């Protein structure tokens, strides 16, 4: 099994590496890297790549509040040493993928008292598309998951030797996860369930006090940062929560469950991996494993398996009822628990012998085949996308024609590698009319052009004078590049 684990990890990180080096940046990656870069280079965490600071995102060029501080504080020291390229930032966050896998193994090994089951679960998780896709981005999802799983692993590993140390270490990791991404709350809830289930009779006021120390320390530091500009903090946090549709609109159970299944687990978005049919099979294997676990006496009698089933149900419930965006990226926070249930069922069938062994092998082969196939499907689509070629070609043109003294207006995904000087690029669909900063070059991509056209149509109805100013400004630029949906204009 250890050799299988090594092979699975090699394959997983090979696929991750391909995406790291070949996939063009996502907009969210820039929104993490820009404030971290400003913090590293200038001492303030401002998201300066967005030229237009609306009322909803008020003050983001000075202080970034819509992104929790964990990822920014982690990335900033790296960017004092290494250049802020997309590959560098992705590799920096990739380190957390190894922490996540190691923590998951330690947690499941201790919880289930089975090294084999923990190993198989990690193999299933490491080759699942949710892990590979999340680990190949410079977003904080993997970091939050790693810190959260480290919280659970440290608790179950330390509790029998030193319950006080277990409470302090687990709470520290849990609070850090919550201050990295809101999904960190899932692990805090799981930690509470673990602690109450395993040690509620052993707790004393000292244990509660130790668990509260990291919350007081980290929470006070974050509150101090929020207090630097409370109005901007409230504006940005409110927009990120309500304006982005992250909170539930209703708590109708069946409607929420339908959305969870079809929008997250059976996601048809081109950015997700695999086909809906393949994802349906993975979902059926996961649900089947949960059912087998609940109704098979030898499995149900194992305390660790019962607890793992309960933790999986708790995460599913929280995600179904309280996470409204249904981001498929957030599957990473549940998938390791699900993989533990699948591994338990597979090993039970294997040990049962006869035809059940064939079922165990078929389940693992199907699960891994669809998971890896989904990633390969996504990689192939990326290589065939004209937009990928268009982005790289436009980026190369900018790098050879634009000097660090020139101001470039472009989609924020160009920020990482544009012109050798990250601070000279802004995302400004209004071409400096409202900011007073007229760009020397303007990159017209599909995304930015869509925003610009929508805004200009609105201005035509609400502010005709502003629209005329925008049209006059646009006439100051001449087209110098046009390929694969990207046009580059230079100011006359």
């Amino acid at each position: 099994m250890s050799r299988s684990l090594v092979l699975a990890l090699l394959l997983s990180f090979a696929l991750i590496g391909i995406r790291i080096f070949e996939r063009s940046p996502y907009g969210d990656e820039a929104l993490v890297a820009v404030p971290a870069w400003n913090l590293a280079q200038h001492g303030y965490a401002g998201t300066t790549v967005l030229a237009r600071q609306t009322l909803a995102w008020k003050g983001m060029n000075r202080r970034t509040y819509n992104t929790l501080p964990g990822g920014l504080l982690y990335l900033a020291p790296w960017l004092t040493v290494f250049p802020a390229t997309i590959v560098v930032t992705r590799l920096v966050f990739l380190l957390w993928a190894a922490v996540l896998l190691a923590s998951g193994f330690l947690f499941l090994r201790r919880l289930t008292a089975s090294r084999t089951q923990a190993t198989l679960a990690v193999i299933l998780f490491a080759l699942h598309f949710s892990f590979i896709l999340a680990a190949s981005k410079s977003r904080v999802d993997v970091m939050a998951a790693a810190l959260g799983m480290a919280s659970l692993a440290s608790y179950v590993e330390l509790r029998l030797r030193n319950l006080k140390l277990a409470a302090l270490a687990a709470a520290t990791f849990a609070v850090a996860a919550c201050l990295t991404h809101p999904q960190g709350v899932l692990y805090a809830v799981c930690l509470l369930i673990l602690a109450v289930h395993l040690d509620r009779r052993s707790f004393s006021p000292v244990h509660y006090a130790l668990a509260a120390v990291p919350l007081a320390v980290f929470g006070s530091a974050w509150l101090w940062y929020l207090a630097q500009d409370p109005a901007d903090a409230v504006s940005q946090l409110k927009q990120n929560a309500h304006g982005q549709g992250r909170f539930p609109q209703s708590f109708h159970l069946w409607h929420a469950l339908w959305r969870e299944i079809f929008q997250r687990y059976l996601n048809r978005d081109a950015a997700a991996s695999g086909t809906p049919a393949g994802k349906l099979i993975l979902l059926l294997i996961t649900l089947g494993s949960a059912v087998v676990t609940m109704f098979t006496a030898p499995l149900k009698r194992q305390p660790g398996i019962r607890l793992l089933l309960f933790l999986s149900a708790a995460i599913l419930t929280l995600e179904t009822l309280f996470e409204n965006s249904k981001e498929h990226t957030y599957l990473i926070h549940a998938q390791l628990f699900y993989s533990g249930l699948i591994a338990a069922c597979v090993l039970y069938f294997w040990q049962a012998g006869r035809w059940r062994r064939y079922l165990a092998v078929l389940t693992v082969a199907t699960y891994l085949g669809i998971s890896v196939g989904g990633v390969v499907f996504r990689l192939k689509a990326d290589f065939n996308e004209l937009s990928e070629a268009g982005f790289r070609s436009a980026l190369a043109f900018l790098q050879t024609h634009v000097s660090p003294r020139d101001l470039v207006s472009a989609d924020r995904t160009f920020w990482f590698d544009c012109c050798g000087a990250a601070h000279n690029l802004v995302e400004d669909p209004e071409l400096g009319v409202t900011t007073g900063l007229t760009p020397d070059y303007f990159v017209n991509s599909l995304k930015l052009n869509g925003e610009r056209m929508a805004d200009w149509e609105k201005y035509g109805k609400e502010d005709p004078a502003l629209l005329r100013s925008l049209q006059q400004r646009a006439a100051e630029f001449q087209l110098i590049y046009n390929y694969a949906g990207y046009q580059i204009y230079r100011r006359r």
Side-chain angles (χ1 to χ4, degrees):
M1 183 65 74
S2 58
R3 182 178 299 177
S4 300
L5 177 59
V6 172
L7 293 175
L9 294 180
L10 288 175
L11 177 57
S12 175
F13 280 87
L15 294 171
I16 292 170
I18 294 173
R19 284 188 58 84
I20 285 177
F21 285 93
E22 296 298 330
R23 188 68 170 88
S24 61
Y26 299 88
D28 285 352
E29 292 178 305
L31 296 182
V32 175
V34 172
W37 184 82
N38 279 318
L39 181 60
Q41 300 296 325
H42 305 295
Y44 72 100
T47 308
T48 51
V49 73
L50 301 178
R52 182 178 54 188
Q53 305 291 319
T54 64
L55 291 176
W57 301 112
K58 186 173 176 288
M60 279 186 68
N61 58 340
R62 300 186 302 271
R63 295 183 180 87
T64 299
Y65 290 116
N66 72 302
T67 299
L68 290 172
L72 308 184
L73 295 176
Y74 167 70
L75 182 58
W78 292 92
L79 298 185
T80 62
V81 180
F82 299 102
T85 65
I86 185 60
V87 171
V88 165
T89 55
R90 285 173 174 173
L91 289 175
V92 166
F93 278 102
L94 179 61
L95 298 175
W96 287 106
V99 176
L100 174 57
L101 295 176
S103 299
F105 174 79
L106 293 175
F107 170 67
L108 292 173
R109 184 188 64 177
R110 180 65 66 179
L111 188 69
T112 64
S114 171
R115 184 183 185 90
T116 302
Q117 183 175 325
T119 301
L120 179 56
V122 169
I123 291 174
L124 295 174
F125 177 64
L127 291 174
H128 192 269
F129 66 83
S130 64
F131 172 76
I132 293 173
L133 294 187
S136 62
K137 300 176 184 178
S138 59
R139 285 174 47 121
V140 297
D141 302 284
V142 171
M143 180 179 174
L147 288 168
M149 195 55 64
S151 170
L152 304 182
S154 61
Y155 187 81
V156 296
E157 284 288 334
L158 295 173
R159 54 180 288 271
L160 296 179
R161 286 173 283 176
N162 189 328
L163 187 57
K164 294 178 182 177
L165 180 59
L168 178 61
T172 300
F173 285 122
V175 173
C178 291
L179 288 177
T180 299
H181 194 282
Q183 292 282 310
V185 173
L186 296 174
Y187 300 95
V189 172
C190 288
L191 177 61
L192 180 62
I193 292 172
L194 277 177
V196 170
H197 181 80
L198 298 174
D199 299 305
R200 61 185 180 278
R201 297 176 182 175
S202 302
F203 284 159
S204 68
V206 175
H207 296 99
Y208 293 110
L210 287 171
V213 168
L215 178 60
V217 173
F218 294 161
S220 297
W222 189 47
L223 288 174
W224 173 85
Y225 181 60
L226 295 176
Q228 301 305 300
D229 201 328
D232 288 357
V234 171
S235 171
Q236 293 182 35
L237 290 171
K238 182 178 179 180
Q239 173 66 13
N240 200 29
H242 294 285
Q244 302 295 308
R246 299 186 187 278
F247 284 173
Q249 306 300 316
S250 70
F251 290 97
H252 190 284
L253 178 60
W254 294 113
H255 176 68
L257 187 60
W258 182 89
R259 291 189 64 233
E260 181 74 9
I261 292 173
F262 286 93
Q263 295 183 24
R264 197 193 308 276
Y265 288 87
L266 304 180
N267 188 289
R268 298 178 61 91
D269 189 347
S273 283
T275 62
K279 292 178 183 179
L280 177 60
I281 295 174
L282 295 183
L283 179 60
L284 291 176
I285 290 175
T286 303
L287 293 176
S289 299
V291 172
V292 170
T293 302
M294 286 188 290
F295 294 100
T296 302
L299 290 174
K300 190 168 57 175
R301 282 197 295 265
Q302 299 179 42
I305 300 299
R306 290 201 307 270
L307 189 51
L308 182 61
L309 183 64
F310 190 74
L311 293 174
S312 301
I315 289 179
L316 177 61
T317 301
L318 291 172
E319 291 283 69
T320 298
L321 294 179
F322 298 101
E323 204 288 304
N324 189 60
S325 71
K326 304 307 175 187
E327 285 264 4
H328 68 273
T329 304
Y330 298 159
L331 277 175
I332 190 175
H333 301 294
Q335 201 59 49
L336 186 55
F337 296 93
Y338 299 161
S339 297
L341 294 177
I342 296 171
C345 292
V346 166
L347 291 178
Y348 169 74
F349 287 142
W350 181 263
Q351 293 165 358
R354 295 185 178 181
W355 61 270
R356 294 182 182 85
R357 286 200 170 190
Y358 294 105
L359 180 59
V361 172
L362 179 62
T363 299
V364 172
T366 302
Y367 194 88
L368 294 181
I370 293 176
S371 296
V372 175
V375 177
V376 173
F377 171 86
R378 183 63 254 167
L379 288 174
K380 182 179 179 182
D382 287 343
F383 288 134
N384 292 335
E385 279 185 1
L386 188 61
S387 60
E388 284 288 316
F391 174 85
R392 295 186 182 281
S393 179
L395 178 60
F397 184 90
L398 290 173
Q399 290 171 332
T400 56
H401 288 78
V402 177
S403 73
R405 296 185 301 273
D406 294 322
L407 179 63
V408 179
S409 174
D411 183 274
R412 59 182 175 266
T413 55
F414 282 92
W415 178 88
F416 290 94
D417 302 288
C418 180
C419 318
H423 60 277
N424 68 333
L425 184 140
V426 292
E427 183 176 289
D428 185 7
E430 296 170 356
L431 306 179
V433 170
T434 56
T435 64
L437 299 174
T438 304
D440 300 290
Y441 289 84
F442 171 56
V443 181
N444 188 29
S445 63
L446 182 62
K447 172 184 178 297
L448 201 60
N449 185 57
E451 292 183 0
R452 186 163 62 104
M453 291 300 101
D455 287 343
W456 288 20
E457 183 178 351
K458 180 183 67 175
Y459 298 148
K461 299 177 181 178
E462 300 177 0
D463 194 342
L466 177 57
L467 177 61
R468 286 193 296 270
S469 298
L470 293 170
Q471 292 170 336
Q472 292 170 1
R473 177 60 53 82
E476 298 175 9
F477 290 82
Q478 62 177 345
L479 180 67
I480 61 173
Y481 172 93
N482 186 10
Y483 174 69
Y486 287 85
Q487 298 89 37
I488 300 178
Y489 295 82
R490 182 174 57 202
R491 196 177 183 195
R492 300 178 191 272

